[in-house]
């Protein structure tokens, strides 16, 4: 299948993130209050209004609230119906073009909000190069991968309350830190604040018991880019024995557009080679991975954005479906609106690493940022993720996922 | 202050968990649908109806939904007003006794639901004897307490979706396990399923930035007993390096009645002795601990309940307010409805340990349960927590927090 042509001409241009094939879902505001919208070219189709005036009929009003949760809850048949109806309205030669056209708004100038209400947030650790890099730095090359790593997708629960939409500034956190050569800890603004390049999977259907990998795949509604901001110095001191906590709780930024699973189906990819077969409950059920190109640009305050890494979601060792299946094994109820971060996606080469921790190798080999050495994030830095699945004549893009670092507040506990 | 006498005579009886001093909050159903109710003696005052008919006036309808979240959101002044108005209705000699009396229902026979909607669930590790016991078993006596333990309340995020109310059966989970002497992992029902005796603190007010210990104390709405069911064999294999995950996600049971903070104020207790002073942002702000006696009974299928441990919340090293303050240090937004588990509360002696793991010392020294050795939980076991703050002439009780273990399902992934 090639490009689906739309009467919205910008959607047909090469390099556009939002052709008719995509139909990414956001919540936008053009000073009339936040509403559900669908990205098309450089425009947003006001889906809430299209539903309200009857051009979109999903059997029940699902877009009356400014979030896509109600559509998610309606289930996969409605997801497909929704895509068919929006496609029919926006396709080249669409009979209802004239009625639809007044409900398009430029993306530029619109305020984008979180596209869904996050029920709970889980962050995995499913990138093998990332786990190997971090393990090598923390525990040495001989013990880089934890013993369980090739057998289960390691993950930990995060904070849904800290998930923010692209563009939200991120305040450098305070926290307790202690380096190995210090005798006592101190309370300080983080000096090793970092990004993590991840893919976020959105659970669109609930479950009450264990689900298979194939079932889990069907439960996934869509995907976002995800930046799991990380305070490495706080993390190093706090993470034993119960895992990361405050180091990951300042913010997690997601891209403003949900790319639905169906849009990425043409870009499905096979699993990686496995040194050790997975147990049956986690076995690969098919081409559950995706070929999505990712890159990160870093723009220092007043400076020029520079691409500092390029990688691909094919570097994941566990698919989002395997992450979700594992998440359910103990009977953990999974809920519509749950967000699963993949873990940092690093490639094999130094220029494809998905965090400053890895790019600067724990600060030992700073990168060259417009001629200046840089180990971690500075105040005023803007970190920008881009991601797209790329076909010969179109691409399925996510739109930018960015955040700017604000300086730490004065000591919030000063007497 | 002594017992506040009520015209509900059972509330004045010695040993009653719910005197007028308590006013614990639940959601109950007597076949007319779930509603907000207040425990008084062996009765429940139908608070939703009292509000609906105007005997209770909180300035706005706060009890129209079967959860106490709306009251929480209304803030501390309304919490106090609520207690004053309910006290005035139920006090001995209350002028409106006759109008109130028809809206009492026996606790016995009522179905109790979760008393609030849990936003997010965090589990701490704030009991020193528990951390020392577990650390000794896992890492040896010399490395029992992690290096950070005396400096910050270690915690990890759990799953709000898995929180259930007392009385909900708990299904033994499957999971991936590998003992050190096995060469490969296997997928199996947990053989080391356990309880954890904890106090749960309910966050009643939201925050967006770091809060002090004193502010955190004011944000706490109330308390419940909390059983963080734990699959020790799954935990041992999964928890490195990112902490417990599926081992803790099967279920967390809470007692059905929220004991409001004000009810426990007469039982405030000073902090423990500290070997190392806490940094200023976590310093003790006053008597933020409580003197609450706890006990656990274990009732095997068809057998008699036997008390297997007795301890006290004074064994905590970090108060709920210190846990909440630490939780906010990085700027993590805290929300009304967040639930913070204290971590297992064990005393110094072997008969005051708050988990089977500790009571049986990892299975090496099974306890004597009605003449039978017992290391972990068996199918059909019912675990029952009780807790109460005890004054000379009254007690503030939580009601039972119990759950019965159902056998594991057949392999959910069998071909």
């Amino acid at each position: 299948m090639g490009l689906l042509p739309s009467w919205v001409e910008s959607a047909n241009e090469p390099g556009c993130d939002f052709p008719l094939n995509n139909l990414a879902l956001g919540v936008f505001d053009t000073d009339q209050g936040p509403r559900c919208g669908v990205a098309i070219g450089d425009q947003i189709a006001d889906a809430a209004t299209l539903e309200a005036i009857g051009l979109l009929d999903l059997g029940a009003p699902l877009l009356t609230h400014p979030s896509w949760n109600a559509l998610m809850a309606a289930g996969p048949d409605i997801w497909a119906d929704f895509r068919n109806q929006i496609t029919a309205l926006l396709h080249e030669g669409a009979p209802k073009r004239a009625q639809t056209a007044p409900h398009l708004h430029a993306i530029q100038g619109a305020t984008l909000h979180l596209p869904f209400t996050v029920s709970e947030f889980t962050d995995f650790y499913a990138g093998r190069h990332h786990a190997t890099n971090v393990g090598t730095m923390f525990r040495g090359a001989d013990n880089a991968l934890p013993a369980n790593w090739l057998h289960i997708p390691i993950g930990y629960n995060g904070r849904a309350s800290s998930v923010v939409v692209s563009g939200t500034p991120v305040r450098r956190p305070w926290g307790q830190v202690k380096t190995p050569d210090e005798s006592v800890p101190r309370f300080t603004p983080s000096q090793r604040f970092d990004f993590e390049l991840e893919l976020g999977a959105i659970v669109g259907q609930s479950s009450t018991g264990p689900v298979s990998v194939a079932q889990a795949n069907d439960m996934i509604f869509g995907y976002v880019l995800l930046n799991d901001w990380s305070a490495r110095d706080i993390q190093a001191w706090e993470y034993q024995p119960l895992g990361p906590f405050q180091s990951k709780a300042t913010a997690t930024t997601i891209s403003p557009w949900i790319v639905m699973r169906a849009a990425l189906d043409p870009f499905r990819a096979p699993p990686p080679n496995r040194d050790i077969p997975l147990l049956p409950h986690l076995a690969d059920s098919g081409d559950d991975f995706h070929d999505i190109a990712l890159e990160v640009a870093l723009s220092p305050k007043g400076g020029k954005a520079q691409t500092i890494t390029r990688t691909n979601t094919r570097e994941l060792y566990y698919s989002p479906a395997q992450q979700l299946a594992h998440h359910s094994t103990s009977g953990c109820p999974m809920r519509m609106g749950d967000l699963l971060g993949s873990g940092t996606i690093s490639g094999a080469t130094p220029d494809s690493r998905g965090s400053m921790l890895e790019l600067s190798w724990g600060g030992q080999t700073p990168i060259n940022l417009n001629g200046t050495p840089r180990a971690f994030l500075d105040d005023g830095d803007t970190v920008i993720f881009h991601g797209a699945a790329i076909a010969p004549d179109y691409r399925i893009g996510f739109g930018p996922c960015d955040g700017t670092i604000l300086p730490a507040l004065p000591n919030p506990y000063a007497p």
Side-chain angles (χ1 to χ4, degrees), chain A residues 246-277:
Chain A
Q246 287 307 283
S247 55
K248 303 282 194 166
T250 302
T252 295
T253 301
I254 62 171
S255 53
W257 299 105
I258 302 171
V259 174
M260 291 177 74
R261 177 161 51 86
L264 290 168
D265 271 345
F267 303 91
R268 298 187 82 87
N273 294 325
R274 302 199 181 280
D275 305 2
I276 302 174

Side-chain angles (χ1 to χ4, degrees), chain A residues 281-293:
Chain A
H281 70 289
L282 288 175
D284 295 298
S285 75
D287 290 352
D288 286 344
F289 292 76
H290 292 104
D291 185 345
I292 302 171

Side-chain angles (χ1 to χ4, degrees), chain A residues 127-130 132-133 309-312 314-316 345-354 358-359 361:
Chain A
R128 184 166 181 173
H129 297 298
H130 172 71
T132 303
N133 288 339
T309 197
R310 288 187 177 85
T311 180
N312 191 292
R314 289 200 61 184
E315 300 291 354
L316 290 172
I345 302 170
S346 293
T349 57
D351 60 354
S352 62
R353 292 172 178 159
E358 295 164 88
L359 287 164
W361 207 254

Side-chain angles (χ1 to χ4, degrees), chain A residues 49-91:
Chain A
T49 298
L50 294 175
E51 182 186 63
I53 64 176
L55 283 179
L56 178 67
D57 179 2
L58 302 169
L62 297 180
L63 307 181
T64 51
H65 292 284
S67 96
W68 289 94
N69 294 63
L71 181 72
M72 283 195 237
D77 290 347
I78 301 294
W79 306 347
D81 187 24
F82 170 82
R83 290 183 67 82
N84 289 338
Q85 291 191 42
I86 294 285
T87 300
L89 292 174
L90 297 175
H91 201 278

Side-chain angles (χ1 to χ4, degrees), chain A residues 2-29:
Chain A
L3 173 76
L4 293 176
S6 170
W7 55 262
V8 181
E9 287 177 13
S10 59
N12 306 327
E13 286 172 13
C16 174
D17 272 352
F18 305 116
L20 188 58
N21 305 59
N22 191 340
L23 301 181
L25 312 177
V27 169
F28 75 106
D29 192 351

Side-chain angles (χ1 to χ4, degrees), chain A residues 93-118:
Chain A
K96 296 186 180 166
R97 172 177 173 169
Q99 298 101 302
T100 305
H103 305 293
L104 262 55
H105 304 265
I107 292 178
Q108 193 169 11
T111 302
L112 298 174
H113 296 270
L114 270 185
F116 71 107
T117 301
V118 182

